[in-house]
Amino acid sequence: MTAQPSLRHNLLHTLAGPTALLLLAAGAIAYGTAKTVVNRAYDQNLLNLAHGVATHVRPVPDGLALGLSSEAVVMLRTDTEDEIFFRVRDEQGRYLGGDADLPLLDEIDELSALPVPYQPLGEEAGTTAVRLPSTKPIFRDLLHHGQALRAVRLYRKLERKGVYVTVGETLDKRREAMDRLLLGFVSAGALLLLAAAVAARFGIPSGLAPLERLAGSLRKRSGSDLSPIDPATVPDEIGELVAALNVLFGRLREFSAQQREFLQDAAHQLRTPLAGLQMELELLESKPLDDEARSRLRQSVGRVTRLANQLLALARAEAGGRVVETSTPVAVDGLIDDMVEGWLRIADQRDIDLGIHRRPAVVAGDPTLLQELIANLMDNALKYTAPGGRVTLRCAGSENEVELSVTDDGPGIPEAVRERVFERFYRHPGVRASGSGLGLSIAREIVRSHGGSIVIETPADGRGTQIRVRLPRVNDAGR
């Protein structure tokens, strides 16, 4: 059988995957957020440069002009890491200054400022209006001389004349900032993984310590110590486990007590016939046995043999799992036929009217135990029925089950003690017939081991006892 992984391994395996996924997801979200923040900061700086250039545009008689000195241009382009490019033009596309070959940022948006004729409802035909471009800055990524740039285009209106200012810069600062952030995120993730590993290394053993203490406490117990575990000494998470163990310990205590009682009762039942045997053997040493002594000796040997056989049958019936594993189709009517002769002899000796009504029926089980079941029921009925009485055995099968019933007109069993008579060695007060008190206990265990039921009823005429047994049926084709 494959060994199951330890609870520690299961916890590590369960926590490792989600922890790694959460760290990756958190890192991705944090990286994306940081990238957005960095880009916005540098975009704002780029926009400030565009506004600064726009402030140097002045109206002139023939349009607009850029009044940006060479010193101002040097200051504009001064940057420790990136190259700065700019271009200024008016609405008609005339170049006013800067880098003339800087690509147009957005051709569609720039052309949208040109005059467009339209005729609104209620206006005279031929009226011309100008659709003004948005003053909202537009940011784009573009290529200039093989270099990737981040650029902004700003539109300003000066005395009814529009001007476009485009400023772009290379991405070195942005990349360096993102590299530093990425290094920080990776370092933070590594530290978090290290912290998780340390927590798993020391936290999981600490969390499992109560289980280990419980296991150590149970290992130190003797085989007879079935006292319950105090739930207050364990965490709530394993409280259900402790409760289940306490229930199991309770059942074991009850079973152990029953076993002790069984052994005591068995020893008591064996003591009487063994004492008789010992006495007869002592008499045999002094004088030969007469017929009466031989009869008593045979009875004592028979009682011991019968009791030993019953104890063995009871032990075998209680091992119900093995009965199910080794079950075979058994013809109940055939078992009855094998024992009829012995019952007839007893019935003739006691002047009992014995009736046998049986039909073919097959059950799955152990033939020896099923024979012991029928024998016990019939022995009880013949033993407790007074001379001149009547005992009837019926066996019939329906579609799903086989029913056995043994009816007698003896003294009957009071309803108040009908459950107790199934207990081992129980004998109802006032019963005169001899016996060990194991017959019905054995019968119940055999019935249970075969998945059936057994009940004690009062016959239809109100006299005596009827014991009814139902067992699962096997199709007769299996015989």
Side-chain angles (χ1 to χ4, degrees):
M1 187 174 69
T2 305
Q4 294 295 318
S6 67
L7 185 58
R8 182 181 287 102
H9 178 273
N10 285 339
L11 287 173
L12 287 173
H13 182 74
T14 302
L15 293 175
T19 300
L21 289 176
L22 285 174
L23 283 175
L24 288 175
I29 293 172
Y31 181 81
T33 303
K35 184 177 181 179
T36 301
V37 172
V38 168
N39 282 333
R40 284 181 179 176
Y42 284 111
D43 283 352
Q44 184 61 46
N45 183 60
L46 202 60
L47 181 60
N48 291 338
L49 291 177
H51 279 294
V53 172
T55 59
H56 291 81
V57 178
R58 297 288 184 269
V60 294
D62 59 345
L64 297 173
L66 177 63
L68 194 64
S69 64
S70 58
E71 291 81 2
V73 171
V74 171
M75 290 292 295
L76 176 66
R77 295 184 186 275
T78 300
D79 193 285
T80 58
E81 298 182 41
D82 288 312
E83 292 185 59
I84 306 296
F85 304 92
F86 75 97
R87 188 189 68 176
V88 182
R89 68 180 182 86
D90 62 11
E91 288 179 323
Q92 285 72 37
R94 290 180 298 178
Y95 169 73
L96 302 181
D99 301 288
D101 58 349
L102 186 66
L104 295 176
L105 190 60
D106 193 328
E107 184 70 28
I108 296 176
D109 287 343
E110 291 179 355
L111 294 177
S112 66
L114 297 178
V116 179
Y118 75 103
Q119 186 175 359
L121 185 64
E123 298 286 343
E124 295 182 2
T127 302
T128 301
V130 176
R131 184 169 51 202
L132 298 178
S134 172
T135 58
K136 183 178 179 181
I138 299 173
F139 291 90
R140 294 286 188 275
D141 294 323
L142 52 85
L143 285 176
H144 179 52
H145 294 170
Q147 295 186 91
L149 301 182
R150 179 69 171 173
V152 61
R153 192 203 68 185
L154 181 66
Y155 174 79
R156 294 285 293 274
K157 193 73 174 175
L158 298 173
E159 296 183 2
R160 299 185 179 183
K161 297 178 181 179
V163 62
Y164 292 96
V165 177
T166 302
V167 180
E169 67 177 359
T170 55
L171 306 178
D172 294 340
K173 290 195 301 291
R174 298 172 188 253
R175 289 169 178 158
E176 183 180 354
M178 291 309 302
D179 288 343
R180 290 197 299 268
L181 286 173
L182 181 60
L183 178 61
F185 289 142
V186 171
S187 301
L191 289 175
L192 287 174
L193 283 175
L194 179 61
V198 171
R201 172 65 181 83
F202 296 101
I204 291 179
S206 176
L208 295 178
L211 279 176
E212 294 177 353
R213 288 195 296 270
L214 176 61
S217 174
L218 292 175
R219 280 194 296 267
K220 293 177 182 178
R221 286 191 176 199
S222 65
S224 59
D225 185 3
L226 297 175
S227 59
I229 302 168
D230 185 3
T233 61
V234 298
D236 294 339
E237 288 75 11
I238 58 175
E240 291 295 328
L241 172 62
V242 170
L245 283 175
N246 287 337
V247 171
L248 176 61
F249 288 159
R251 292 174 180 171
L252 290 175
R253 286 195 303 272
E254 182 179 352
F255 179 75
S256 179
Q258 291 176 350
Q259 289 294 94
R260 286 195 300 270
E261 293 176 3
F262 175 77
L263 292 175
Q264 293 171 357
D265 291 340
H268 176 74
Q269 293 293 328
L270 287 169
R271 186 181 299 116
T272 300
L274 288 175
L277 281 174
Q278 184 178 4
M279 183 180 65
E280 296 296 338
L281 290 174
E282 291 175 354
L283 291 175
L284 181 60
E285 293 177 354
S286 60
K287 62 177 181 179
L289 294 178
D290 54 20
D291 292 340
E292 184 179 354
R294 290 192 186 91
S295 177
R296 290 196 304 268
L297 184 58
R298 281 194 297 269
Q299 290 177 359
S300 296
V301 172
R303 288 182 60 189
V304 172
T305 303
R306 175 61 175 162
L307 182 56
N309 288 335
Q310 286 186 318
L311 292 175
L312 289 173
L314 182 60
R316 189 177 180 190
E318 287 179 338
R322 291 194 294 273
V323 172
V324 173
E325 293 173 0
T326 61
S327 62
T328 58
V330 180
V332 179
D333 52 304
L335 298 179
I336 294 173
D337 292 344
D338 292 340
M339 295 183 285
V340 166
E341 186 177 348
W343 297 333
L344 289 173
R345 185 171 57 253
I346 296 173
D348 288 341
Q349 293 174 355
R350 304 200 60 197
D351 191 23
I352 293 176
D353 180 10
L354 177 62
I356 305 292
H357 305 276
R358 60 127 185 92
R359 294 180 181 175
V362 179
V363 300
D366 184 292
T368 303
L369 290 179
L370 291 172
Q371 189 175 45
E372 183 73 19
L373 164 66
I374 301 170
N376 280 336
L377 298 180
M378 287 298 293
D379 288 348
N380 274 352
L382 293 171
K383 183 188 300 182
Y384 294 110
T385 300
R390 185 176 65 254
V391 173
T392 303
L393 168 64
R394 289 183 173 85
C395 171
S398 63
E399 182 178 356
N400 298 318
E401 64 182 12
V402 171
E403 181 176 298
L404 281 168
S405 67
V406 177
T407 308
D408 64 65
D409 58 359
I413 301 175
E415 190 172 350
V417 298
R418 287 180 180 176
E419 279 301 313
R420 294 207 62 192
V421 296
F422 288 111
E423 297 176 6
R424 300 167 182 167
F425 303 109
Y426 176 80
R427 290 176 56 78
H428 179 54
V431 174
R432 296 180 180 179
S434 61
S436 63
L438 284 175
L440 289 179
S441 179
I442 293 172
R444 181 176 63 175
E445 292 301 329
I446 293 174
V447 170
R448 284 180 175 177
S449 68
H450 286 76
S453 63
I454 181 171
V455 294
I456 299 176
E457 302 170 337
T458 300
D461 59 6
R463 296 175 54 194
T465 301
Q466 177 173 276
I467 299 180
R468 190 186 305 273
V469 174
R470 291 184 174 89
L471 299 172
R473 182 174 182 175
V474 173
N475 193 304
D476 289 349
R479 294 182 62 175

